[in-house]
Amino acid sequence: MPHLNPMLVPLGAALGYAFAALMLKRGTDGAGPWRVNFLTNWVQAALFSLLWLVPVEHAASVANVSHAVLSGTIFFIGQIFTFLALSRGDVSVATPVLGSKVVFVALFSAALGTERLGVATWLAVLLTAGATVLLGTGHVQGQRDAILRSLVYGFSAAALYAMTDLTQQRWVHEWGFSHYAATLFLTVAVLSLTLLPLLRGDGRKVPSESWCWTVAGACTLAVQACGVAWSIITIGATSTNVLYNSRGLWSVTLVWTIGHWFGNAERGRGRAVMVRRLVGSLLLLGAILLIAHR
């Protein structure tokens, strides 16, 4: 029996993320973004708790736990901006923009003095700017507010995820990936308790259809996150990031072709707009490739 090519895992995770984004956006219509965020974070924490069973080389310490908690706190704030981008913006804009995380990692690393900004990085920044123009233009006034929210919230989330990556790269080897990741996601789940006062309405009055979409989206998001974690361990962070960020292409393609199955009306923006978004996501993927191979 042939072995599974490990490169297929981050590609599958990218497709899973695109489906999860569509399902979670549909779930927020009835459940609200904060309830969906809360449930998603706890599902991910439950699944990643299995990593406690994986042994690590170093024992837990106050420093190790504190570092993982800090990474989790930054990630939690990034999750908030992600759900704002998905619920109040467009999936086919927000998802490609989240891929700019890799560009932010390079910029933050340069700001911290750990690496220099080379020609490839500057080209990646220019490609990201061009992609932003394509993703944000070609809309009537009523749509521009939603697109602006997608861009602002999406880039904010990408910057915070980049900070999470930098803290993990700095500290994860001092403890071990499995326990560090489990603590990170447990932190995110515990911090989600702060969202409880924001939950709108009585959860018992949320339509069952919204609960179905939310649970399905949360489980899909958690499974694909495990796929990303496995890929980082197996093929490395660089290859994983490049392959995983095909999610931008997947999101535009899915929204354009079968998005209406999920109650998504973004393809109604018109063919020209969707082509711009597809080209914009390709430019972002090109920026990621430049960063990965600089």
Side-chain angles (χ1 to χ4, degrees):
M1 181 177 179
H3 292 290
L4 174 69
N5 188 330
M7 297 292 184
L8 294 176
V9 176
L11 287 173
L15 179 60
Y17 187 96
F19 272 109
L22 283 168
M23 290 186 281
L24 292 173
K25 182 174 177 61
R26 177 65 181 272
T28 60
D29 292 339
W34 307 125
R35 184 174 279 109
V36 173
N37 193 353
F38 178 86
L39 178 62
T40 299
N41 289 340
W42 276 100
V43 169
Q44 289 188 104
L47 198 53
F48 272 85
S49 66
L50 297 175
L51 291 178
W52 288 111
L53 302 176
V54 179
V56 293
E57 295 182 3
H58 307 286
S61 68
V62 173
N64 292 340
V65 174
S66 298
H67 292 156
V69 168
L70 177 59
S71 294
T73 301
I74 299 171
F75 187 88
F76 170 71
I77 301 172
Q79 284 282 72
I80 290 177
F81 280 109
T82 297
F83 277 88
L84 285 173
L86 293 176
S87 63
R88 301 179 183 179
D90 283 5
V91 171
S92 56
V93 173
T95 305
V97 165
L98 289 173
S100 65
K101 175 195 75 172
V102 181
V103 179
F104 279 110
V105 168
L107 294 175
F108 290 160
S109 296
L112 293 171
T114 57
E115 63 179 72
R116 295 181 178 179
L117 287 180
V119 175
T121 303
W122 283 116
L123 286 175
V125 171
L126 289 175
L127 285 176
T128 301
T132 303
V133 172
L134 287 171
L135 291 168
T137 57
H139 309 278
V140 299
Q141 183 59 45
Q143 299 169 350
R144 288 175 184 165
D145 291 341
I147 303 308
L148 180 61
R149 287 193 293 269
S150 301
L151 294 172
V152 172
Y153 293 143
F155 278 122
S156 297
L160 287 159
Y161 290 147
M163 293 173 63
T164 304
D165 275 12
L166 288 173
T167 57
Q168 288 186 86
Q169 290 172 18
R170 172 65 181 82
W171 292 316
V172 71
H173 67 279
E174 297 176 0
W175 191 3
F177 177 82
S178 59
H179 291 186
Y180 194 100
T183 304
L184 186 156
F185 281 98
L186 178 60
T187 300
V188 172
V190 172
L191 289 175
S192 297
L193 296 174
T194 61
L195 300 176
L196 291 176
L198 301 176
L199 303 188
R200 69 186 190 197
D202 187 344
R204 292 172 295 183
K205 296 181 181 179
V206 173
S208 58
E209 182 183 24
S210 295
W211 279 122
C212 289
W213 286 113
T214 298
V215 172
C219 291
T220 303
L221 194 67
V223 171
Q224 67 85 38
C226 287
V228 172
W230 181 87
S231 297
I232 290 174
I233 297 172
T234 306
I235 64 175
T238 300
S239 297
T240 297
N241 273 322
V242 171
L243 295 168
Y244 181 59
N245 279 298
S246 63
R247 59 182 173 168
L249 294 175
W250 284 121
S251 69
V252 177
T253 303
L254 291 179
V255 164
W256 200 351
T257 56
I258 61 172
H260 57 288
W261 294 358
F262 301 84
N264 187 289
E266 291 173 34
R267 73 173 184 173
R269 309 287 196 218
R271 180 183 178 86
V273 170
M274 297 309 295
V275 169
R276 285 191 186 94
R277 293 184 180 183
L278 189 61
V279 175
S281 63
L282 282 169
L283 288 180
L284 281 171
L285 189 58
I288 293 160
L289 287 168
L290 281 171
I291 294 294
H293 297 95
R294 66 193 189 282

